[in-house]
Structure formats: C-alpha cells, structure tokens
Amino acid sequence: MKQYDFETVIKRRGVGSGKWDEMEKYRVGEDIIPFSVADMELKNAPEIVEGLKTFLDNSVLGYAQPTEAYKNAVKSWMRRRHNWEIDTNWIKDAPGVINAFFTAVKAFTKEGEGVMLMTPVYYPMYFAIYRNNRVLVDNRLVINGDRYEIDFDDFEKKAKDPNTKLLILCSPHNPTGRVWTKEELTRIGRICVDNNVLVVSDEIHNDIIMPGYTHTVFASIDEKFAQNSITCTAPSKTFNLAGLQTSNIIIPNERIRERYWQEVCTTEGNPKCNILGLEGCRLAYEHCEEWLAQTLALIETNRRIVADFIAEEFPQIKVFRLEGTYLLWMDFRGLGIEAKELARILKEEANLFFDEGFIFGEQGAGFERWNLACPTRYIYEGLERLKGTLNKHLK
Ligand SMILES: Cc1ncc(COP(=O)(O)O)c(C=O)c1O
C-alpha cells in the first residue's frame, strides 16, 4: 500500500499563510513550532495536487458554478462516510463554515434575540453573536474527569426561553475534542424541536474521528431534526484545503434553504465560488480516503506521544480525551501559572505556539489547545521545549 509522506514539510513563512503570519507578529525565527490555528503542517494529498494541475491544464478560470460532479461527490461522501442520504439540491456551497453560521444568525434571528452556544467553544461563534448584536445564551459544558458533558437541565431551561432562537452546535466539539453521542444529539434535537430553536450544526471536524468513537450527523437522526437544521461540512479540515474556500452547507428544508440563500445574496450581492475549491473538494472526496486513513493514524500517534509524556513529566497538567478533531485540549491550571503569563512563557521563551484556552471563552483560561496535525518530530521537539521551559518556572 502507498505510504504518504508526513515528514517533509513545505515552508509556509512569507507565502501568505494566515497561521504563520500570525505567529510571526510575536516572534520571527526559524525555530517556531506551530501548534496553533487548525490547519495542518502536512503536505496536501498528492491526488489533490496532481488533480488540480491536470484541471488547470484543461480549464479556463472564469466565473464558476457548483458543478454536478462536485455535488455528487459531496452526496456520495455523506452517504459513504456518514450514512446520511442527501439530495444534491440541498447543498449550498460557501467560502467557509464561518460565513455560513454568520449568515444563519442574520437570517434566522433578530437583533436582541438569543443564540445558544455550548462553551468553551470555537471563538468565531461568539463573533457571529456579538458582531450582529445578538445575545449569547451560554450553556456551559461541565468537566467530568477527562471529558466534558452537557448540562441538559441548563440547556433545556435556556432553550425554553422564547428569546432563544438558534443553537450553533459544534459537533465534534472544538476545543474540547468531544464527539457527541447519538443519545446526546437526540436529546439536543428533541429539546430544540420542542422549543422552536433552529440548529446550525457545524460539523466541519466530522471526518477527524479517533478510534473507538463514531460521529453522528445531527440531521440524520430524525427527519424532524433534518427539517430544523443547517449542516455545515467541508473538506477544509479533513484535507487541509481551507485556502481553497469551499464548504458544503446542507439544508434539507426548502423554506430554510431559500431564506438562507436570500441572506447570502443580500450580503454578498452576487455570491461566487472558487473553481479550484470545487474541484479540490471533488478530488478529495473521490480519491483521498487512504490519505485520510493515514492522517488519522498520524494524529492518534501524536496524541499518544503527548499524553504519555505529560502523564510522566507533568501529572499536574490534565490532557482531555481526544474523541475527535486534531486539537488536543489541555488544562495547565495545576501548574499554578497565571493564564496570560503561561501564554507569554510558551510563546516568548519556548517559541511554542498553541492556541490559548481563553480565546474560547473565560472557562478556557489556563488551558491550551494543541494542534496535532504535524510531523511527529515536531511533537517530540515541542515536548522537550515544554519540559525545559516549564521546569525553569516550576523550580
Ligand atoms: C468548529 C469550526 N468551525 C469552523 C471553522 C472554520 O471554518 P471555515 O474556515 O470554513 O470558515 C473551524 C476552523 O478551525 C472550526 O474549528
């Protein structure tokens, strides 16, 4: 079987990488180790790179439309990988999932109305609320051992408030790494249907599932959930294609789909799509399952190395169970270092870039999110630096 190369890295400094440019605002140096922003420090699958070259040789790069080939690839992927049968008419492409949940907030809520989040959570979800003058309905997740759980009493109470109109569900959940079980999703779905709360299910991490866990598409559980939801998927996390700006927004309910699209057209004037993104998505979904399998194995290897090292060297740091995503959530509070100081030490002294927990909400203060999608040697190097730097502060 073909073995993919996950060790050769392509330099991303100075070539328009958002992640690297952001890190270099703090520090410029050859020895930066990037464990921040959720994109992979891995070469793209050769099937995508070669496929795009062939496509370029045979294309004119004029205005694009989502092709049937792209839509059928999405449909087939959802059937094969997620056991969800969709109609290609339900798919609306978007430049990103963030665009989609911003649009949904504007289309389905009014200023002053409530949007529920299960926090700590992916920070642009807060932006969708605050920047549009909506009200955050904060359903705080609860730590139980090495995983987070949903406080359903609080969830139901908040969903029953008539001012709560929409839930942005992060599934799998970033940053906690939870893959919600079918039972949990069913409870969420019933409460939302009973209380007329529309669900925007952000499933961008749905393909990055660790051994022993199963992702369930929220809308696939019950026809009532399908009719009360917008499902956001993309090849951007799974195959590291965020720069191609193509996400698949799947909306079974015709009325919701039309209202959603009306809002896109109002905001954007003339929504466009990226011709290479559509083709990249098709190539990924049709040709890259083996690449994905090997990438998942790499993430699991990296996770195990980090978890074992931390358990041995720093038992005061809690590493949460990684059920899905390639983002490991770690609680550093046991070290007794204040959250901002911890961030400073890691960046400035260790030259290590994680995502600080506090960006995901105040409960994240003192936590760090570690992006594991990188060559394994980065993980070893990162752990050694972490050890050296923390030990200076702990003595
Ligand atoms: C939960 C979640 N939603 C959305 C995004 C970003 O989506 P996009 O780049 O498609 O806007 C991310 C990126 O990390 C994410 O973790």
Side-chain angles (χ1 to χ4, degrees), residues 38 95-99 101 122 125 170 174 202 204-205 236-237 247:
V97 166
I98 298 177
N99 303 60
F101 60 66
Y122 181 54
M125 294 177 177
C170 192
N174 172 10
D202 175 345
I204 197 167
H205 295 280
S236 48
K237 297 291 150 204
S247 305

Side-chain angles (χ1 to χ4, degrees), residues 64-268:
Q65 278 292 323
T67 56
E68 284 309 308
Y70 151 76
K71 290 188 178 180
N72 284 327
V74 175
K75 178 181 164 80
S76 170
W77 184 259
M78 293 311 288
R79 179 197 298 133
R80 286 189 338 266
R81 304 283 307 196
H82 297 290
N83 201 20
W84 189 32
E85 196 60 51
I86 64 167
D87 187 312
T88 51
N89 293 326
W90 301 350
I91 305 168
K92 294 286 179 194
D93 68 289
V97 166
I98 298 177
N99 303 60
F101 60 66
F102 265 69
T103 299
V105 165
K106 284 188 285 179
F108 299 105
T109 68
K110 299 196 196 68
E111 289 201 6
E113 288 184 335
V115 176
M116 182 138 71
L117 298 179
M118 293 149 69
T119 66
V121 78
Y122 181 54
Y123 52 93
M125 294 177 177
Y126 297 98
F127 301 160
I129 297 173
Y130 295 136
R131 291 183 191 166
N132 289 307
N133 299 320
R134 271 53 170 184
V135 174
L136 170 66
V137 180
D138 189 5
N139 173 238
R140 294 191 167 206
L141 297 169
V142 181
I143 296 175
N144 183 4
D146 64 352
R147 75 207 283 256
Y148 282 75
E149 290 177 353
I150 301 166
D151 177 348
F152 274 107
D153 290 340
D154 181 72
F155 186 96
E156 184 157 23
K157 195 173 100 212
K158 288 177 174 160
K160 279 197 163 125
D161 180 339
N163 200 49
T164 304
K165 302 292 181 198
L166 191 132
L167 164 71
I168 307 179
L169 171 67
C170 192
S171 174
H173 191 267
N174 172 10
T176 68
R178 274 301 315 274
V179 173
W180 306 117
T181 63
K182 191 171 178 188
E183 290 67 35
E184 286 170 316
L185 293 169
T186 304
R187 273 181 90 175
I188 290 174
R190 289 210 180 114
I191 294 170
C192 288
V193 166
D194 289 348
N195 294 286
N196 291 319
V197 174
L198 180 69
V199 179
V200 176
S201 191
D202 175 345
E203 304 192 15
I204 197 167
H205 295 280
N206 61 4
D207 299 310
I208 320 274
I209 305 298
M210 294 299 108
Y213 298 94
T214 307
H215 173 78
T216 306
V217 175
F218 171 78
S220 73
I221 296 174
D222 186 317
E223 181 54 21
K224 284 193 189 132
F225 300 178
Q227 293 302 322
N228 185 47
S229 64
I230 295 174
T231 302
C232 307
T233 74
S236 48
K237 297 291 150 204
T238 316
F239 297 101
N240 211 24
L241 297 181
L244 286 183
Q245 295 195 298
T246 300
S247 305
N248 324 310
I249 313 306
I250 307 172
I251 313 177
N253 180 293
E254 190 179 350
R255 184 186 53 78
I256 297 175
R257 193 166 62 242
E258 283 179 1
R259 176 70 195 94
Y260 170 90
W261 196 245
Q262 185 190 38
E263 187 61 45
V264 172
C265 293
T266 305
T267 309
E268 295 181 23

